[in-house]
Amino acid sequence: MRRHLITAAAATAAALALSSCGTTEPAADDAKSADSITLTDGTGAKVTLKNGPAKKVVGTEWNAVESLISLGVAPTGVADVKGYKAWDSAVPLKNDAKDIGTRGEPSMDTIASLKPDLIIATTDLPAAAVKQLRKIAPVLNLRPADAADPIGQMTKNLDLLAEATGTTEQATKLKKEFEAKLAEGKKALADAGRDGAKYAFADGYVTGNQTSIRPYTDGSLIGAVNKKLGLKNDWKVKGDKAYGLGATDVEGLTKLDEDVHFAYIGNEDDKGSNPFTGVLKKDKVWTSLPFVKKGNVHRLPDGIWMFGGTESMNQYVDSVVKALKK
Amino acid sequence: MAVTATAPATRPSAAASRTGAVAVTAALLLLVAALAVVDITQGTAAVGAPEVWKAFTGRADTTDSSVVIASRLPRMTAALLVGSVLGMAGAALQAVSRNVLASPDTLAVNAGSYAALGIAAATGISLPFLASSGIAFAGGLLAAAVVLGLSGLGAGTVRLVLAGSALTLGLTAVTEGLLQLFPQETEGLYKWNQGSVAQNGFDGVLQMLPVAVVGLVGLLLLARKVDALALGDDAARGVGVPVRSTRLTAVVLAALLSTSAVTLAGPIGFVGLCAPALVRPLARKLRAFTRSRASLPLAGLTGAALVLASDVLLRAVVPSDVAVAVPTGVVTSLLGALFLVVMAARVRDTAGAAQPDRLRIRSRGVFIVTTVVLVAVLVGLTVAAVLVGDSKLLMGDVVNWAQGRAGQTVSFVLDTRVPRVLAALCAGAALALAGTLVQAVTRNPLAEPGVLGVTNGAALGAVLLVTTVPAAGSWTIAGGAFAGAAVSAVLVFGLAAKGGFGQNRLVLVGFGVATGATAVISMLIILTDPFNATKALTWLGGSTYGRTLPDVVPLALVLAAGLTIAVVRRTELDLVSLDEDTPRLLGLNLSRGRFGLLVLSVLLSATAVAAAGTIGFVGLVAPHAARALVGRQHVRVIPVAVLLGAILVCVADLAGRTVIAPAQLGAGLMTAVIGTPYFLYLLVRSRR
């Protein structure tokens, strides 16, 4: 037995030594420089693109990926492709992007092998990882969300991405469409007599037999869009500093006004993310809520990414208008 | 026997008899009732005491009364049920294993249920409550069966807890890995890991009630036989008690009880360990409570009081909307940790040093061959770890890189990969060495930096820094980790040092500190940055992700120093690890040397945590495995353990980087996944 082990170890070492000669990449040569672009990212760092607008872009967060697709840039690498397809079908991936791993720990090796011109990261990544990514390619480090100015943060990120990829015209068009969509939605809701209507958006999930509900406060992107539509956010809970999300349970829904319109988004691929049509059907607290009794609960279509970009929000506006017009 | 429940030392006085027992029970009942009433009036809805009163007298509006009926009352009853069930399960397990550390937490029942549910959640299948309870139950029972099967019923209690802790670590790591990989799907599960008694209506409680009743009645029927076990196995057989079947039945019933609690409210830590520990001093004072028939229900009541008090405390101190996000289990863990530490410091620790596990004497040849093979494996592994990853390289690339002539991609890949490999190797070696030292000095087979709370203290320090100073650099984080490790080590060893590291006291205090630190970490994440769990989990799951060469420097220096000191002091280690008396007979005073070795092991663990996160398990497994391979002499154990530790973490890191590439798994998770089966195999092999 032991002799076998020694032989095996020796053989392994020999095999490794023999098979691992040669190189996988020729020695380096200098790239030529063209017209360079300099940007300031969300952390205030200066980012220089030596060869003009980036063509091969990698995104580690889905909001950036969505904005890239909207801008007409097919991302070369995307974190957690499967998850993106499940949660953001509003702006589907058109190309066959390479999966670079999870959003929390994108694989350095894979990103390096794609040889991107630009990497879009967010401040949710550990600083050490961003530092390493900068060695591969220029990194735009974005603030993913800001509860003080959610829409402003979203368009700021869109503009940055547009500048970096040379698609500023498309960005202007997207922002115009978004503004127009907000105005159109506001008007449609006013026409339907819903101006100033009390409204509350949430998502929820079930674990074991507890239901957690996440209120989207004014500091969330969805909350800010609701405000623009002339709806009055009825949540009284505090949200976090970045995404503007609070926490409550079914009991907490009793604090909502009885005239409130309650809307939520679930996901068919993730059954635990939809308590409202599941466990709550049997929950006495839920069924006794005045707005539930009145039928003012609206399920909006799956696949609208609540933290996404202008196109997700356009679809959100459409779906809210459609739900509240009834 | 390292950790055995002590039989009541003094004869209970005759005066304190039945009346005392009745008074104690009545007082507890009153306390539980008062807590229950307060609990009903707390929550996120504006339903306070007056509205509750109206609801009970049928004068409230429908919403208020449905809040009371479908939310408050279920929560209160769930707290009562879960607490009492866990208390009883813990008491039963401790009685049959004669082990004060046996509890649903340490026997991996909770971890098994949680892992089963985590796997179910990650596959994205949403299950009705009954099905998910079935899955959790299966997982919990399976885990308990594995632990008991491996440790052998009636065999050494140390082995029982060893197998249990090992499996708990492994299963928890699997679940945490799932959390890293499926953050969306398992979002709620992270909170659930800490357990919360909130309920959607009475369904869950009603489904669990019969199970709890069956368990309780079964345990009470068994009570006399369980009492007989306290006399020792042979004595129990002498009075005609079937030892094996009694143990088996009691354990199955306890597992049934604790999995029912887990499915109802998630793993609420520490109640099963704490409640019986609180009842034990009473048994010394009041004769009535020396019988299981009386002490089991009392432990149940104590458990209920613990859980209810935690829930009430949480909702009273924290604003209701925030309280929703904080799991009950965090509070029970904190309360329990505090209790445990206080108890351990006060308790008279009669358990002496552990009997050294019997090992075969190995020849020098065996040692040499083992070392040579391990070195060869390590070299091969290091080469493989550098070449294999998400993009494969060849030797020529490495040569180019070393000479600074490599292309951009190759040099980048190696620049990020080599530090990771080095961090893994050094962290593994350092943790193994720290574990060896701690086990020698404390003469406690369960002692290791993880179990003693040192690594968790380090992690807490690091997370505190990450949450307060988001832009903290790697050196600051390392400093924070070290401060945390130092504080928890001073706490644990300081409290346990009274009367020379009593076995039970050390592990109990360590356990308390470890769990307390984990609870605080969870609380910090949930309250300050709920959507950055990935970052925190990554850091806590033990990962070499994003490591650079400067991060590895302090670890490498401490490791070199530690190895030198350990080899120089090898004789001292051998003597210290024997027993209390031999060194004294030889006229040696070892307390100062012990202290120095402990400081060294803390330093080793803290730098390892700072460089690679909390990698559990290595400090526990490597020394045991090394002793099994080459015997007891430290001059042989140290190199083998260090090599094994380095190999284990390096394999784990390599696997974590490649198995599900491009996604990654933390090294700490993989060490547990790789280490658990090996460790269990070792346990089986040494059963002869």
Side-chain angles (χ1 to χ4, degrees), chain A residues 20 105-107 109-110 251 271, chain B residues 71 126 390 395 417 538 545:
Chain A
S20 51
E105 284 192 347
S107 159
D109 286 13
T110 308
E251 252 190 55
K271 288 280 184 293
Chain B
S71 174
S126 171
D390 213 356
M395 237 13 198
R417 202 182 282 167
T538 297
Y545 186 79

Side-chain angles (χ1 to χ4, degrees), chain A residues 205 207 210-215 237-238 240 245-250, chain B residues 43-44 187-198 311 314-315 318-331 519 521-531:
Chain A
Y205 43 87
T207 34
Q210 290 137 37
T211 307
S212 313
I213 289 165
R214 282 201 307 189
V237 294
K238 267 183 52 155
D240 69 287
L245 299 171
T248 191
D249 54 1
V250 185
Chain B
T44 49
E187 189 168 19
L189 200 67
Y190 181 62
K191 285 186 195 170
W192 193 89
N193 181 20
Q194 298 298 334
S196 165
V197 289
D311 201 45
L314 170 69
R315 288 168 212 278
V318 184
S320 62
D321 286 323
V322 182
V324 169
V326 181
T328 328
V330 167
V331 191
I521 291 171
S522 300
M523 191 112 103
L524 270 175
I525 295 170
I526 290 166
L527 290 184
T528 56
D529 204 355
F531 307 107

Side-chain angles (χ1 to χ4, degrees), chain B residues 32-33 35-41 56 68 71-83 197-199 202 205 304 307-308 311-312:
Chain B
V32 169
L35 287 169
V37 170
V38 176
D39 196 53
I40 299 174
T41 62
F56 278 125
V68 172
S71 174
R72 301 286 171 83
L73 283 173
R75 189 184 74 205
M76 189 270 289
T77 35
L80 268 175
L81 255 181
V82 167
V197 289
Q199 297 294 313
F202 266 111
V205 176
V307 175
L308 268 173
D311 201 45
V312 168

Side-chain angles (χ1 to χ4, degrees), chain B residues 410-449:
Chain B
V410 166
S411 54
F412 172 78
V413 167
L414 284 174
D415 282 344
T416 53
R417 202 182 282 167
V418 171
R420 291 184 72 170
V421 174
L422 286 176
L425 288 172
C426 291
L431 286 168
L433 183 58
T436 314
L437 295 178
V438 172
Q439 284 181 13
V441 171
T442 58
R443 287 197 303 282
N444 190 329
L446 289 171
E448 66 117 11

